Amino acid sequence: MVDTNSSESSATYFILIGLPGLEEAQFWLAFPLCSLYLIAVLGNLTIIYIVRTEHRLHEPMYIFLCMLSGLDILISTSSMPKMMAIFWFNSTTIQFDACLVQMFAIHSLSGMESTVLLAMAFDRYVAICHPLRHATVLTLPRVAKIGMAAVVRGAALMAPLPVFIKRLPFCRSNILSHSYCLHQDVMKLACADIRVNVIYGLIVIISAIGLDSLLISFSYLLILKTVLGLTREAQAKAFSTCVSHVCAVFIFYVPFIGLSMVHRFSKRRDSLLPVIMANIYLLIPPVLNPIVYGVKTKEIRQRILRLFLTTTHT
């Protein structure tokens, strides 16, 4: 990739190492990972199909869920095919521009998903705290605009990312410690001052993930305050409508925050922990979200059962 005798050089490709220390086992580990990926795609496509074909589910809560499912499919697809190629065919090389595209896709889609989770929290807040205004506040055209705003926000936050990476000279190893391209991983290979990249990364995390998680927490404090003043039956109904979203929030934010913390404070590039956490971050939420919503949401659960019974009888 680079001339090691030169003080500055441009990267043309990187090597994705896969799972450090588990190279011999990667071929077999790819089978359960591929199964999880297929479950994620099938599960989220099922959610999208059910909401699209069931007219009584054409409500903000379920439309936001469709957005979440679509983003989960895109996030897992942005990394899993290349990961499978590494594990099964030892295709470890990724061109610099392809690495930038993958990096931009992963980070921007994550920002979009965070925005959708925030929109879902706002939907629950209006539905529980101001139920009479829900139909007028969250109309379908407004929900569509929120979805577009999530896409624009995620893409805009990550638009400077390729520029900040391309400005860096690379004269160290071209081996990345993950199975896909991450900003934190790539910038550590640069042989120049990366403070601009570090500051940019912190700004993005604070303005997107930090702000969204804070607003989601605040919305649930207001929801809790309202619910505590209801009857027991109404409390149970209100809590049941929030459980799935709360699970989705934890499933998304806990791995993300954990991965960010490990990258900030880990000194060893050959450590397996950040790699495992990175794979969990991109694969587990897409797998668990449709399961959680399928189990905890009555309307979706009933439609899945009807779909399954119809398929088995035919």
Side-chain angles (χ1 to χ4, degrees), residues 115-191:
T115 307
V116 171
L117 288 171
L118 174 59
M120 295 173 81
F122 177 68
D123 169 66
R124 291 300 84 206
Y125 162 73
V126 177
I128 294 172
C129 300
H130 305 282
L132 299 179
R133 298 177 56 192
H134 185 261
T136 56
V137 172
L138 283 167
T139 60
L140 293 184
R142 192 164 291 167
V143 169
K145 290 179 181 178
I146 292 173
M148 288 300 300
V151 173
V152 171
R153 183 195 186 207
L157 282 172
M158 292 302 146
L161 181 61
V163 177
F164 286 144
I165 291 296
K166 281 197 168 186
R167 60 176 272 279
L168 294 174
F170 294 89
C171 57
R172 298 175 183 171
S173 170
N174 63 342
I175 299 176
L176 297 173
S177 60
H178 287 69
S179 307
Y180 52 86
C181 293
L182 283 176
H183 177 226
Q184 303 96 313
D185 201 18
V186 173
M187 71 178 183
K188 290 179 181 178
L189 296 180
C191 52

Side-chain angles (χ1 to χ4, degrees), residues 91-139:
S91 177
T92 57
T93 301
I94 184 169
Q95 296 300 313
F96 181 77
D97 288 338
C99 185
L100 283 181
V101 170
Q102 187 184 59
M103 191 189 312
F104 176 82
I106 290 171
H107 291 296
S108 61
L109 288 169
S110 297
M112 296 173 199
E113 181 152 342
S114 180
T115 307
V116 171
L117 288 171
L118 174 59
M120 295 173 81
F122 177 68
D123 169 66
R124 291 300 84 206
Y125 162 73
V126 177
I128 294 172
C129 300
H130 305 282
L132 299 179
R133 298 177 56 192
H134 185 261
T136 56
V137 172
L138 283 167
T139 60

Side-chain angles (χ1 to χ4, degrees), residues 43-61:
N44 285 290
L45 284 176
T46 301
I47 294 291
I48 294 172
Y49 173 78
I50 288 173
V51 174
R52 185 175 181 275
T53 56
E54 193 74 26
H55 291 289
R56 65 192 180 97
L57 297 183
H58 291 180
E59 299 177 3
M61 172 182 171

Side-chain angles (χ1 to χ4, degrees), residues 16-23 26 29 33 79-80 83 86-87 175-180 182 185 255 258-259 262-263 266 268-284:
L16 298 169
I17 198 170
L19 298 174
L22 296 177
E23 288 81 4
Q26 285 183 165
L29 290 173
L33 288 175
S79 60
M80 287 304 298
M83 196 185 303
I86 295 170
F87 292 175
I175 299 176
L176 297 173
S177 60
H178 287 69
S179 307
Y180 52 86
L182 283 176
D185 201 18
L259 179 61
V262 167
H263 271 291
S266 177
R268 293 183 55 191
R269 284 186 51 80
D270 60 344
S271 176
L272 188 60
L273 179 61
V275 180
I276 293 175
M277 292 184 67
N279 293 339
I280 289 174
Y281 162 62
L282 287 192
L283 188 57
I284 297 303

Side-chain angles (χ1 to χ4, degrees), residues 284-296:
I284 297 303
V287 171
L288 292 184
N289 281 338
I291 295 174
V292 168
Y293 275 94
V295 171
K296 299 300 296 183

